[in-house]
Amino acid sequence: MSLRFAALGLLAQHPGSGYDLIKRFEKSMANVWPATQSQLYGELNKLADAGLIEVADIGPRGRKEYRVTETGRAELVRWIGDSAEDPPMRRPDVLRVFLLGELPAEDARRYATAFAERAGSELKRLESLRDSINWGDTDADFYGHAALEFGLRDTAMEEQWARWLVKSIDDRGRK
């Protein structure tokens, strides 16, 4: 369901074609809600069928530019303000940590080390993304930057925590 609102939100911020949407999605929302090109194009069709977006213009070679309808904007605003329908958070990676005691300590350490390395790589990627964007003074830029800042802080915490876990596993082995 959230892909629907990710696409609707991007089109509310700036109308565009499916191609435009995909490019903007890749630079922004894909960091928190990954989707394939076919999923996004499928979502555009569903949004149009539901009357939440409409074709604003047809350009060369049949390129359609979409914009959000009043109904679509109302649905987006309703969804943003109502987190009650959000699914519960699930973290299979943390569930694995909970169950690491079922593995030999060296395998648990290997998992924790890989967790830390993935978080470290992701942190570098997000820092590079942050540094590559020319942040403007629009609401979309302000809140996009805020969402990216959440990702940076969350990922930094995950890396720090996983490094603590590796050290803690090592310390347990020394007892």
Side-chain angles (χ1 to χ4, degrees), residues 16-24 37 41 44 63-64:
S17 68
Y19 177 81
D20 297 334
L21 178 66
I22 289 166
K23 291 302 165 197
R24 289 198 338 245
Q37 181 177 341
Y41 274 109
L44 281 175
R63 178 183 179 271
K64 295 177 183 176

Side-chain angles (χ1 to χ4, degrees), residues 3 22 25 34-42:
L3 179 58
I22 289 166
F25 194 89
T36 65
Q37 181 177 341
S38 63
Q39 287 173 316
L40 280 168
Y41 274 109

Side-chain angles (χ1 to χ4, degrees), residues 142-155:
F142 177 80
Y143 291 110
H145 188 226
L148 180 56
E149 185 64 27
F150 175 85
L152 286 160
R153 291 177 188 209
D154 185 55
T155 305

Side-chain angles (χ1 to χ4, degrees), residues 34-130:
T36 65
Q37 181 177 341
S38 63
Q39 287 173 316
L40 280 168
Y41 274 109
E43 201 56 54
L44 281 175
N45 292 330
K46 292 175 189 173
L47 289 168
D49 290 346
L52 302 177
I53 64 172
E54 63 189 3
V55 175
D57 192 23
I58 298 180
R61 296 180 305 279
R63 178 183 179 271
K64 295 177 183 176
E65 183 170 298
Y66 296 94
R67 68 176 166 222
V68 174
T69 63
E70 286 184 35
T71 302
R73 186 167 299 280
E75 179 63 6
L76 177 64
V77 168
R78 183 206 61 76
W79 180 81
I80 292 170
D82 182 13
S83 62
E85 64 186 58
D86 289 355
M89 186 172 75
R90 292 190 171 135
R91 292 287 308 260
D93 51 351
V94 179
L95 175 59
R96 286 184 183 92
V97 171
F98 186 82
L99 299 171
L100 282 178
E102 300 303 311
L103 301 178
E106 66 186 47
D107 292 344
R109 186 185 194 286
R110 193 173 8 264
Y111 179 81
T113 300
F115 192 113
E117 289 170 356
R118 278 191 307 276
S121 293
E122 179 64 2
L123 183 57
K124 286 181 179 129
R125 187 187 74 77
L126 291 174
E127 288 169 339
S128 177
L129 176 63
R130 175 200 58 208

